[in-house]
Amino acid sequence: MKISNLPFDTTDWSSVERVEYRGETGTAYWRTKHFGEIRVRMVEYSAGYLADHWCVKGHVLLCLEGELVTELEDGRIFKLQPGMSYQVADNAEPHRSSTPTGAKLFIVD
C-alpha cells in the first residue's frame, strides 16, 4: 500500500454516518472514510452475522471487540479475538466473515 497526498488529520468515528448492510444472517454496520484510493472502515457485526458473499478484496483487518470467524474458500477457519489482525492481498484467497457473539473491526483496504 502506498499512501501519498494525505495530510495529517484525525477521524471521530462516532460522527461518520453509520450504514446498515444485511448479511446472509445478521447485520453489518459500516462507518466509512475514503482517502484517495484507500478505504478505511469501522465495522460492527451483530451476533449471528454471516456474510452473504465470498470476498476477494485485500484488507488489513484488526479485531477491536468480540470474536471474528474468517473462513477461507479452501475450508480453513481462523478466529480473531480483540488485538488480533489478519492481512490478505486482492484476489489472493476468497474469504468470508461471521461472528457468533458480534464483533467490532477496523479495516483498511
Side-chain angles (χ1 to χ4, degrees):
M1 174 185 331
K2 182 176 178 176
I3 300 174
S4 58
N5 286 333
L6 182 61
F8 183 88
D9 198 4
T10 63
T11 301
D12 175 359
W13 288 100
S14 67
S15 69
V16 176
E17 179 185 9
R18 186 178 190 228
V19 179
E20 179 178 310
Y21 297 93
R22 300 293 300 168
E24 189 172 306
T25 59
T27 306
Y29 301 96
W30 294 14
R31 295 178 193 267
T32 306
K33 298 275 292 186
H34 290 90
F35 304 99
E37 294 183 17
I38 300 169
R39 178 176 67 170
V40 181
R41 295 177 286 157
M42 188 73 70
V43 175
E44 295 177 63
Y45 292 146
S46 67
Y49 175 80
L50 172 63
D52 65 352
H53 66 284
W54 289 95
C55 182
V56 295
K57 179 96 175 114
H59 316 284
V60 175
L61 179 151
L62 172 64
C63 181
L64 300 172
E65 297 175 8
E67 177 183 84
L68 178 70
V69 179
T70 300
E71 178 184 3
L72 302 187
E73 196 172 43
D74 67 10
R76 289 180 289 158
I77 295 175
F78 299 88
K79 293 183 180 179
L80 275 65
Q81 302 290 330
M84 296 176 70
S85 64
Y86 77 69
Q87 45 286 327
V88 64
D90 288 332
N91 303 305
E93 296 175 278
H95 51 280
R96 70 176 174 178
S97 297
S98 65
T99 175
T101 60
K104 186 173 187 178
L105 314 168
F106 185 77
I107 306 171
V108 179
D109 49 33

